[in-house]
Amino acid sequence: MEKYTGKSVLKGIAVGKIYCYKKKNYTLEKTEVSDKKAEAGRFEEALEAAKEQLTALYEEALETVGEERAMIFEIHRMMLEDEDYLDTVRTAIGEGTNAEYAVNSAKEKYADLFASMDDEYMQARAADIRDISDRLINILAGVGEDTIHTDSPVIVLAEDLTPSETIRMDKSKILAFVTIRGSSNSHTAILARSMNLPSLVNTQMELNDGLNGKIAVVDGFNGEFLIEPQEELLEEMIRRKNKWETDTRELQLLKGKENITSDGRVISLYANIGSVKDVDAALEADAGGIGLFRSEFLYLGRNDYPTEEEQFRSYKAVLEKMNGRKVIIRTLDIGADKKVDYFQLEPEENPALGYRAIRICLDRPEIFITQLRAIYRASFYGTAAIMFPMIVSVDEIRRIKEIVNQVKTDLADEGCPIGDVELGIMVETPAAAVISDELAEEVEFFSIGTNDLTQYTLAVDRQNQKLESTCNTHHPAVLRLIEMTVRNGHEKGIWVGICGELAADTELTGMFLDMGVDELSVSPSSLLRVRKAVRDI
Amino acid sequence: MKEFQYTITDPIGLHARPAGLLVKEIGAFQSKVTVSANGKDADGKKLIMLMSLGIKKGMEVTCRIEGEDEEAAAEALQKFFKSNL
């Protein structure tokens, strides 16, 4: 068996024969052309042909992947009508250069223009310029765009794929895409995702014809590409693939659907994320927002505190990607159990009950202020909310709000624009649940953190495996505290969500709806499953 | 000549899709439209230059419209910015 690893584009499994897709070769050459007029005519014809191809691709994509994704081909066609781009080509032809080389110089000029911009999104547009230019060059050189030739469905293995190659391939003949280069942000990856094909990019392997027809497994869960696996492993993977297919077929149908019960009750389903790169998964799972953005990733695995600028960039990236949907950022939740040497936390007997989270923030306001400034600055770029962990008293919230107000005043003095930011707390200590009526007067929302709430209520260490049976997450004490928190929140007119593991426990979904919980925040991979549970009620 | 300013509120800014739509909108008029932001100018009928302005949320964009149908164009474009950007 040969095994390669790549970046997974979609969590799924495909099993089948490999098909090596190779682009036809064309070597670009610069030649002197004597009949400039004929060369110009050749280019204009190619240009028309390219635009026709793109119109056809747009219409094809419109049917298969929808208007939003299809728009890329419309943009490509418009780029081919851009006067500056065309002028560059026409001028070069007028100087006696062959059309292929003239197009290539325009390609380099404008691809460089985008590649040098300081914005990640715009940098990626360089690929669009290359794509439209290659289309023209292929037409000029008579190198037709190839597609796959196969009777039964295959795993397409290629160096890289352009969006048009991807959309052109007969979907019923494709089990998965594996590309040796490429990024998970490319249009091709996005298309593969919307076609629900398990795919890997950037596998960094050799493409050779010897692989044609070999049995392989694309494991999008582990980012692995297995070629000719042993029989037992293959059978195991086929079992997993069948299960994945049945599950997703059902769940994919729920994208774009409301989280509504048969008797008309509605709940928001948000996603929990731990870093910027999780946002794509949240969006793919059709999350209504981010219900818990754990900010710890900014602090872990490094030697010094993250700067305000670094934090700002991360928060801004998430807010921009969520495009106006709410993003609830939880402030620093770190204690002696986490390895962050630069915090210089003393070892503790009971770190879960110790100097951690908001307790550190209120004791060392400089750390807290840096984080709050970064969040407020980023809040301008979307809909941000902040929640504070480990709250046990009203006094803590008042002290937090003093610091928050100072941060807002400072930013206003600096002329820095900020958005409206909802402030809430995690209800994860029994104390907070019990006095939730008083706490509700101070904040705009509650998010119940069931993991800690369970461990503190039942006096059970979550990490201790011997206590697993005692750690009953459905314990009536925990459920009553949740119910009480929801009731108290609603009486004071604030919304209440749940963001712990219990939120994804579909045995409890019905009970949460009965309690009137407003929002459940779960991992992106659980989201559609919970939507199904809601809709089945 | 007509001129107006608009501050971008779309979180991603003038990305490919609205830029394409904007060029189409401008193309429907005779007038010459210059879009300025970030200290740079671009001809509103040219998609690539327009995108290369790197217009992001919070930036102020100035549109200058000159031509026979400038009145109608200015009105249509202001409406376009408000509903798309």
Side-chain angles (χ1 to χ4, degrees):
Chain A
M1 179 179 77
E2 285 174 74
K3 181 163 138 184
Y4 299 94
T5 52
K7 238 176 124 62
S8 170
V9 165
L10 182 120
K11 287 204 162 112
I13 297 173
V15 179
K17 286 184 180 162
I18 297 177
Y19 181 99
C20 290
Y21 174 78
K22 280 192 174 165
K23 289 174 210 283
K24 287 187 186 153
N25 276 331
Y26 167 70
T27 323
L28 182 74
E29 273 172 28
K30 183 176 183 173
T31 53
E32 289 288 319
V33 176
S34 49
D35 190 347
K36 294 173 192 169
K37 213 171 157 194
E39 194 66 4
R42 210 161 69 81
F43 170 69
E44 299 305 328
E45 269 177 38
L47 180 62
E48 281 316 306
K51 286 199 265 185
E52 273 169 33
Q53 283 183 0
L54 286 163
T55 307
L57 281 166
Y58 173 74
E59 275 157 20
E60 200 172 329
L62 203 57
E63 276 179 31
T64 48
V65 291
E67 205 260 336
E68 184 132 4
R69 310 270 200 227
M71 190 70 191
I72 184 63
F73 298 112
E74 177 74 357
I75 302 280
H76 280 188
R77 197 185 51 76
M78 292 177 71
M79 282 180 162
L80 281 179
E81 285 170 357
D82 187 275
E83 285 174 43
D84 292 322
Y85 179 86
L86 294 176
D87 277 352
T88 309
V89 181
R90 286 174 183 145
T91 307
I93 293 174
E95 285 162 0
T97 313
N98 57 321
E100 289 88 345
Y101 198 83
V103 171
N104 195 63
S105 46
K107 162 178 157 179
E108 281 173 4
K109 178 175 171 186
Y110 291 100
D112 286 352
L113 174 76
F114 282 112
S116 65
M117 286 173 74
D118 62 355
D119 171 316
E120 201 188 323
Y121 174 82
M122 286 299 168
Q123 286 166 4
R125 301 287 68 76
D128 294 327
I129 297 283
R130 292 191 193 105
D131 200 359
I132 58 161
S133 307
D134 289 342
R135 177 178 302 283
L136 283 170
I137 293 173
N138 285 341
I139 294 171
L140 285 165
V143 183
E145 213 171 24
D146 207 356
T147 187
I148 50 169
H149 308 281
T150 171
D151 295 326
S152 54
V154 289
I155 293 170
V156 177
L157 175 63
E159 208 37 63
D160 203 357
L161 291 167
T162 64
S164 50
E165 284 170 319
T166 314
I167 202 89
R168 260 286 142 93
M169 292 180 186
D170 179 355
K171 261 57 77 190
S172 65
K173 298 282 158 58
I174 301 170
L175 300 168
F177 290 115
V178 177
T179 65
I180 290 157
R181 293 182 291 123
S183 94
S184 52
N185 280 322
S186 66
H187 283 297
T188 300
I190 293 167
L191 285 170
R193 229 174 274 145
S194 59
M195 288 149 86
N196 200 35
L197 292 172
S199 296
L200 300 177
V201 295
N202 204 12
T203 52
Q204 301 294 346
M205 53 192 281
E206 287 281 316
L207 184 63
N208 74 65
D209 288 333
L211 295 172
N212 259 324
K214 285 191 176 173
I215 286 283
V217 176
V218 176
D219 179 356
F221 290 95
N222 300 309
E224 286 176 349
F225 185 42
L226 315 172
I227 301 172
E228 298 194 313
Q230 285 82 359
E231 202 161 321
E232 270 171 43
L233 179 61
L234 184 63
E235 277 171 22
E236 165 67 17
M237 294 308 286
I238 290 174
R239 260 197 305 278
R240 285 181 50 199
K241 176 193 80 111
N242 290 340
K243 177 153 178 358
W244 172 73
E245 281 177 346
T246 344
D247 291 352
T248 33
R249 214 173 299 128
E250 251 182 284
L251 294 182
Q252 290 303 318
L253 295 173
L254 297 177
K255 278 193 189 173
K257 294 258 167 74
E258 271 187 287
N259 310 306
I260 189 167
T261 61
S262 55
D263 57 354
R265 288 175 292 163
V266 178
I267 193 164
S268 299
L269 288 184
Y270 285 15
N272 296 341
I273 61 168
S275 74
V276 183
K277 61 180 193 298
D278 294 343
V279 182
D280 289 334
L283 287 170
E284 275 308 313
D286 204 14
I290 301 297
L292 166 62
F293 180 14
R294 301 182 182 92
S295 59
E296 287 77 68
F297 80 98
L298 289 162
Y299 297 87
L300 300 174
R302 49 188 299 143
N303 302 317
D304 200 359
Y305 296 98
T307 63
E308 178 183 318
E309 202 54 36
E310 247 174 279
Q311 297 195 46
F312 164 71
R313 277 199 300 270
S314 296
Y315 302 137
K316 175 170 173 272
V318 172
L319 284 159
E320 287 186 331
K321 279 190 156 184
M322 288 307 289
N323 205 351
R325 283 182 249 190
K326 196 185 285 181
V327 175
I328 305 173
I329 301 163
R330 179 179 70 189
T331 58
L332 175 72
D333 187 11
I334 269 175
D337 49 343
K338 302 257 171 71
K339 284 202 168 18
V340 277
D341 295 340
Y342 60 92
F343 270 78
Q344 295 176 330
L345 302 173
E346 285 165 27
E348 295 186 45
E349 288 278 322
N350 278 316
L353 304 179
Y355 183 66
R356 59 181 301 123
I358 201 68
R359 300 170 183 177
I360 297 179
C361 289
L362 288 172
D363 186 52
R364 299 191 191 168
E366 67 286 358
I367 299 176
F368 197 32
I369 287 170
T370 304
Q371 181 168 33
L372 290 171
R373 281 182 58 94
I375 298 174
Y376 269 97
R377 281 176 55 202
S379 68
F380 179 67
Y381 299 91
T383 311
I386 309 178
M387 65 179 172
F388 305 99
M390 280 291 282
I391 297 294
V392 296
S393 72
V394 172
D395 179 59
E396 283 167 338
I397 302 177
R398 296 203 177 129
R399 285 162 61 203
I400 290 168
K401 285 207 276 192
E402 266 173 44
I403 298 174
V404 166
N405 287 334
Q406 188 57 50
V407 164
K408 283 163 76 176
T409 314
D410 289 348
L411 287 172
D413 290 348
E414 294 163 29
C416 181
I418 60 171
D420 285 328
V421 179
E422 267 189 313
L423 295 183
I425 57 164
M426 294 273 293
V427 175
E428 55 186 340
T429 62
V434 171
I435 60 163
S436 51
D437 54 338
E438 290 178 48
L439 297 172
E441 309 234 13
E442 301 291 331
V443 294
E444 290 157 285
F445 68 93
F446 286 154
S447 187
I448 303 171
T450 54
N451 304 356
D452 275 338
L453 186 62
T454 307
Q455 104 163 338
Y456 294 138
T457 303
L458 304 181
V460 165
D461 181 353
R462 277 195 275 159
Q463 320 292 344
N464 191 331
Q465 293 187 346
K466 276 189 196 156
L467 299 176
E468 227 168 90
S469 59
T470 319
C471 190
N472 170 14
T473 52
H474 295 196
H475 194 291
V478 178
L479 298 176
R480 278 195 219 174
L481 286 175
I482 293 175
E483 196 268 335
M484 187 167 116
T485 305
V486 176
R487 189 161 26 88
N488 284 332
H490 285 175
E491 266 171 26
K492 298 283 154 59
I494 67 171
W495 66 266
V496 185
I498 300 178
C499 68
E501 272 163 38
L502 224 49
D505 186 336
T506 48
E507 283 177 37
L508 296 175
T509 311
M511 187 188 288
F512 293 150
L513 278 157
D514 290 341
M515 289 178 185
V517 172
D518 300 284
E519 175 245 28
L520 295 173
S521 190
V522 303
S523 71
S525 57
S526 309
L527 200 138
L528 290 170
R529 200 167 45 76
V530 179
R531 172 170 297 167
K532 180 174 183 302
V534 171
R535 296 174 63 89
D536 285 348
I537 289 168
Chain B
M1 191 191 71
K2 303 287 279 180
E3 184 178 316
F4 68 87
Q5 272 87 29
Y6 180 82
T7 305
I8 303 291
T9 58
D10 185 282
I12 322 180
L14 191 67
H15 49 109
R17 191 181 141 88
L21 294 172
L22 179 60
V23 170
K24 269 192 187 173
E25 186 79 25
I26 293 175
F29 296 96
Q30 296 284 316
S31 296
K32 181 175 168 57
V33 179
T34 310
V35 181
S36 317
N38 235 350
K40 289 180 286 186
D41 294 341
D43 179 338
K45 291 181 180 171
K46 294 179 178 174
L47 179 63
I48 296 176
M49 290 318 283
L50 200 59
M51 283 172 68
S52 73
L53 290 178
I55 295 173
K56 293 180 202 155
K57 179 173 169 171
M59 277 188 190
E60 193 184 67
V61 175
T62 304
C63 277
R64 277 191 305 278
I65 305 130
E66 221 172 341
E68 277 178 22
D69 53 3
E70 58 187 33
E71 290 275 340
E75 199 180 314
L77 289 179
Q78 267 176 303
K79 210 183 273 174
F80 177 88
F81 272 98
K82 265 185 208 140
S83 53
N84 292 289
L85 288 158

